[in-house]
Amino acid sequence: MGIQTMDLDNAVSWYQDFLGCTVSWEMNAGFSDLSLRRLPGLARLVEVVVSDIRLHLFTRDHGTHGPPASEVNQFQHLCIQVDTPQQLRLWRRRYLELFESGRYTFARAEPATEIDIDGQGMQSFYAYDVNGLEIEFTYLPETVEGTDAADASP
C-alpha cells in the first residue's frame, strides 16, 4: 500500500515504533518516468516492512502538490487481523501509548476507538496513523472465520 505523507520522517518513525516495521529501502532520486507520471512531484519514497506487510511511504514536491485533505480518506482502511482478544487489547494499549506520548504529529488527532464486539463475537477497534489513514485491528473467533465476509462485517 502506498501512503502519501507530508512528514516522511514522522511517518517512518511511527510505523517503526507502532508496528515494528523496518526500513527495507528508500529513494530520493532516479525515479522512473512511469513513477513520475503516476505520482507527479514524487520526491522521496521509503519502504517499511513487517512480516508480509510492505508499505510505501512517500512525499511529493510541496511546491506543486499539497497533502491529501486530512478529512478525506484516500483508502477506507487497512485491516490487520490478530490471533487473540488479548493481542487486540495489547495493540490498542500500544497505540494509545504512542498517541499520547507527544512524539508524533497526527493529521487526525483522534484516539483509538473503544473495542467493539458484534453479535458474532468479532472484536475490532479503529485508529488513525500519523497521515490520517484509518487502521482496523480485528479479532475473528473461529465461528466467524469460516463465514462469508459479507456476513462477518461489523
Side-chain angles (χ1 to χ4, degrees), residues 79-140:
C79 182
I80 298 174
Q81 183 176 340
V82 299
D83 295 329
T84 68
Q86 294 78 17
Q87 286 178 337
L88 187 69
R89 281 151 185 75
L90 288 172
W91 276 112
R92 185 174 181 277
R93 187 176 316 126
R94 177 69 177 148
Y95 178 89
L96 290 172
E97 287 172 3
L98 290 174
F99 180 81
E100 295 168 357
S101 73
R103 295 181 1 221
Y104 303 97
T105 302
F106 286 81
R108 293 184 71 157
E110 298 177 33
T113 66
E114 295 298 320
I115 293 175
D116 180 58
I117 303 174
D118 74 8
Q120 295 179 318
M122 184 170 69
Q123 300 179 33
S124 301
F125 78 89
Y126 296 84
Y128 293 103
D129 81 348
V130 292
N131 306 295
L133 173 65
E134 187 175 59
I135 302 173
E136 173 188 7
F137 284 82
T138 191
Y139 162 71
L140 300 174

Side-chain angles (χ1 to χ4, degrees), residues 1-16 18-19 44 46 48 55-60 62 66-76 78 95 99 104-110 127-135:
M1 172 179 279
I3 303 169
Q4 182 176 334
T5 181
M6 292 299 289
D7 186 342
L8 191 56
D9 294 329
N10 182 59
V12 169
S13 181
W14 188 83
Y15 275 101
Q16 288 174 318
F18 183 56
L19 293 180
R44 188 171 163 218
V46 176
V48 294
L55 301 173
H56 290 176
L57 307 172
F58 66 92
T59 59
R60 294 167 79 178
H62 301 299
S70 64
E71 68 277 359
V72 176
N73 287 331
Q74 300 225 346
F75 306 98
Q76 173 55 37
L78 168 68
Y95 178 89
F99 180 81
Y104 303 97
T105 302
F106 286 81
R108 293 184 71 157
E110 298 177 33
Y128 293 103
D129 81 348
V130 292
N131 306 295
L133 173 65
E134 187 175 59
I135 302 173

Side-chain angles (χ1 to χ4, degrees), residues 118 120-122 140-148 151-152:
D118 74 8
Q120 295 179 318
M122 184 170 69
L140 300 174
E142 290 180 24
T143 57
V144 175
E145 287 185 32
T147 64
D148 182 79
D151 295 333

